Amino acid sequence: MSKNVLVTGAARGIGKAIALRLAADGHDVAVNDIAAQETELETVVKEIRGLGRRSAAVTADVSDPAAVTAMVAETVTALGALDVMVANAGIAQVLPLLEVTPEDWDRMLAINARGIFLCYQAAAKQMIAQGGGGKIIGAASIVAHRPFALLGHYSASKWAVRGLTQAAAMEWAEHGITVNAYCPGIVGTAMWDLIDEKLAESEGLRKGQAIEKYSNLIHLGRVSVPEDVASYVSYLASPDSDYMTGQSVMIDGGIQFA
Ligand SMILES: NC(=O)c1ccc[n+]([C@@H]2O[C@H](COP(=O)([O-])OP(=O)(O)OC[C@H]3O[C@@H](n4cnc5c(N)ncnc54)[C@H](O)[C@@H]3O)[C@@H](O)[C@H]2O)c1
């Protein structure tokens, strides 16, 4: 059955792959990103419409409460309802904990933890107002289970998503809303380009060598592509996952085992 979906951080990378996969699955998909990514976002909207589904671009900074409320309202205006929220937007920063400033910490937590919280909360309010039922899906990470050194505050933000996902699953089960998170490992996106560059710098490696080094941890023997994550989110958005809630499952090619 076709659902009305909103995917945040969908101008590129994992969010874009999720939006296109859910559209290919037969859903109507509104896509969000920051205003600076509007051109890329419009391209995603066109691709979704090319798949025969309805779409809309909704720019908002997910760390801003008023902007998140407006984003959900605009999605409902464009699509008619909100059945699935994919709170995907996030940032990374590679820095030793000894050098993380309070400002670095606050920015990381504002987008990766408060941003996910605001999206979960606004989606749940909308779903409850619609009469209940719905699927809320968030971006955690393998580092929500096992932090990476030099990604300390990023790891803390993703542990927050895992805890929030469990609490939200408990509180919103009575409304028929399930809440789950996906935990990718090493996905070849702009985010990992940045992580590779900064890890390489701090470990005296060349560009490309850090991702190669960390890829040796992947038992399936290849770096992930965004579509690996999107296929799992497709399951989380489908009725096949109806009996699953509160989980933060790793989809990492076998780096870390639960
Ligand atoms: N790439 C990986 O290996 C990996 C691994 C584990 C988890 N993740 C998580 O998956 C999600 C997507 O990662 P990605 O690799 O596609 O990253 P990416 O940097 O390629 O894309 C992230 C998108 O989010 C947007 N964004 C950033 N801040 C925003 C804000 N405040 N409001 C709205 N949009 C914002 C960016 O503009 C960008 O388009 C993130 O939450 C990330 O932490 C990624």
Side-chain angles (χ1 to χ4, degrees):
M1 200 183 82
S2 174
K3 293 178 182 167
N4 299 301
V5 180
L6 170 60
V7 184
T8 70
R12 68 181 191 201
I14 294 170
K16 177 178 178 178
I18 291 170
L20 292 176
R21 172 60 195 258
L22 295 182
D25 287 348
H27 305 306
D28 294 328
V29 186
V31 286
N32 150 270
D33 213 290
I34 49 175
Q37 296 276 55
E38 198 162 6
T39 309
E40 290 79 0
L41 204 55
E42 288 296 348
T43 305
V44 181
V45 168
K46 281 198 191 101
E47 286 187 53
I48 293 169
R49 290 184 180 148
L51 292 166
R53 307 310 315 181
R54 291 184 302 144
S55 185
V58 194
T59 54
D61 176 340
V62 297
S63 66
D64 175 344
V68 171
T69 304
M71 170 180 78
V72 168
E74 282 176 46
T75 300
V76 172
T77 302
L79 302 183
L82 180 66
D83 308 309
V84 178
M85 160 66 91
V86 184
N88 167 79
I91 58 164
Q93 186 183 25
V94 177
L95 214 53
L97 282 171
L98 291 175
E99 292 173 23
V100 171
T101 64
E103 292 74 24
D104 291 328
W105 174 272
D106 285 350
R107 178 160 184 270
M108 182 65 66
L109 273 287
I111 296 173
N112 287 13
R114 188 175 71 195
I116 299 269
F117 160 68
L118 293 171
C119 289
Y120 276 22
Q121 187 190 53
K125 283 183 179 171
Q126 174 61 30
M127 289 167 183
I128 292 165
Q130 288 169 194
K135 289 177 176 281
I136 296 178
I137 302 165
S141 164
I142 185 176
V143 301
H145 295 265
R146 180 186 186 279
F148 277 19
L150 304 180
L151 284 166
H153 59 325
Y154 175 76
S155 300
S157 73
K158 295 299 186 180
W159 277 74
V161 172
R162 192 173 154 207
L164 171 72
T165 298
Q166 295 178 8
M170 293 163 85
E171 292 193 21
W172 300 335
E174 65 177 291
H175 301 291
I177 298 169
T178 62
V179 191
N180 292 290
Y182 49 94
C183 300
I186 300 174
V187 191
T189 64
M191 182 174 281
W192 248 94
D193 288 347
L194 170 84
I195 295 173
D196 170 71
E197 189 187 321
K198 299 293 176 190
L199 283 179
E201 260 172 41
S202 77
E203 296 179 24
L205 302 169
R206 281 196 314 277
K207 201 166 166 10
Q209 282 185 320
I211 193 163
E212 202 179 301
K213 179 181 150 190
Y214 285 91
S215 298
N216 290 333
L217 302 169
I218 305 172
H219 280 92
L220 288 180
R222 68 166 173 85
V223 168
S224 180
V225 291
E227 290 72 19
D228 294 320
V229 182
S231 57
Y232 177 54
V233 173
S234 165
Y235 163 74
L236 290 179
S238 83
D240 285 349
S241 66
D242 276 358
Y243 196 58
M244 176 177 180
T245 197
Q247 303 300 327
S248 294
V249 173
M250 283 171 282
I251 168 95
D252 67 351
I255 301 176
Q256 179 70 23
F257 301 118

